[in-house]
Amino acid sequence: MNVATRRSALIVSVAAALALTGCTFGTAPVPTPSPEAVASMTPTSTPEPVDPLTTVSAIVVRPEHLDLLDAAGAVVTTLSYDAESAEFIDTLSTVLGAEPTLSEHGASMETPPRTEYDWDGVRVTDDHEDDVPTDSGANYGEVDMNVSVHFRAPTVGDGVAVRTVNGFQPGGDAQALAAELGEPWYDNGFDHVRVETGEPIGEQQSYTEYENAYSVAVNTWEWEGASNTVFAPWNFGIGHV
């Protein structure tokens, strides 16, 4: 067999081998991953947790606490007037989206020493019940709840509505409210309308028809330029908080 014949035979043999093994020249195709595989390989970011207090859109003033509601009307949490002052202020600061201004006040003939925390349309008073003198000096009476609240505006903070359980808002018609609830009205600029009363906390006094219990009150007197404000807790049965 001459050289040309041998070369032809070799080429034929190599081609046959390649055909049998399925080998081809060039770049091998890259397999395409399934959508599921792609999803599993894609990193996902975990959303930051949302503080429920930042979802509060309404405050309902109750005799012994505040109901903090979301936009759907569900209670996010309650905030007791007997909570520690720091807890109460921190919670309300988160709801209102701002820190309060603080002012200290010494005792007077009629009031104990107190710290006041103010936001636009809201005041919280800590009357330092542990500092009320009992052995000497003035005696301001038993004070059971730790703080009191005073709402002067129907909307506070970043659009948080304020109301009582029956829908009254600060600045509303207090005389109409008194008529609706059957409460006395004197029209002397010092009316104090009882809105809602909690459970009795002590024996009822003989000189009054009101229970010895905490209530939500609407004050008609002007208080720093605001009237018909919502205040709690107030004990109509003994005449103070």
Side-chain angles (χ1 to χ4, degrees):
M1 181 179 295
N2 57 30
V3 175
T5 303
R6 287 200 302 272
R7 184 177 296 167
S8 298
L10 179 60
I11 292 172
V12 171
S13 297
V14 172
L18 291 174
L20 290 173
T21 59
C23 294
T24 59
F25 295 103
T27 303
V30 178
T32 302
S34 66
E36 292 79 7
V38 172
S40 66
M41 293 186 293
T42 303
T44 57
S45 59
T46 303
E48 291 293 328
V50 176
D51 186 342
L53 292 176
T54 63
T55 69
V56 172
S57 63
I59 297 173
V60 181
V61 186
R62 307 298 303 276
E64 298 179 358
H65 64 267
L66 301 177
D67 282 340
L68 307 179
L69 312 183
D70 63 18
V75 176
V76 174
T77 189
T78 60
L79 185 56
S80 172
Y81 307 133
D82 218 19
E84 291 297 324
S85 300
E87 176 190 350
F88 196 97
I89 297 305
D90 287 348
T91 299
L92 206 53
S93 294
T94 302
V95 170
L96 300 178
E99 295 296 321
T101 58
L102 182 150
S103 58
E104 299 286 355
H105 301 269
S108 69
M109 291 295 294
E110 296 182 354
T111 59
R114 67 194 186 280
T115 303
E116 294 179 345
Y117 304 85
D118 282 281
W119 297 263
D120 188 19
V122 185
R123 171 170 289 177
V124 173
T125 301
D126 177 3
D127 51 21
H128 303 305
E129 58 185 2
D130 293 336
D131 298 332
V132 174
T134 55
D135 296 331
S136 61
N139 188 334
Y140 305 104
E142 182 181 2
V143 180
D144 296 313
M145 303 295 272
N146 192 39
V147 301
S148 59
V149 294
H150 210 137
F151 291 95
R152 309 188 299 268
T155 304
V156 295
D158 188 17
V160 179
V162 178
R163 61 178 175 84
T164 63
V165 72
N166 65 342
F168 182 88
Q169 291 193 282
D173 188 336
Q175 184 173 2
L177 175 68
E180 173 189 338
L181 299 176
E183 291 292 306
W185 181 263
Y186 305 102
D187 199 22
N188 58 5
F190 296 97
D191 282 290
H192 204 46
V193 182
R194 184 180 60 163
V195 179
E196 180 188 12
T197 301
E199 294 296 320
I201 59 173
E203 183 178 353
Q204 184 170 347
Q205 305 301 308
S206 59
Y207 55 80
T208 178
E209 63 184 53
Y210 291 116
E211 303 93 329
N212 183 356
Y214 296 120
S215 296
V216 177
V218 170
N219 299 335
T220 63
W221 58 81
E222 292 199 2
W223 187 73
E224 294 187 357
S227 61
N228 297 354
T229 56
V230 176
F231 178 80
W234 181 261
N235 191 329
F236 282 80
I238 60 177
H240 59 70
V241 59

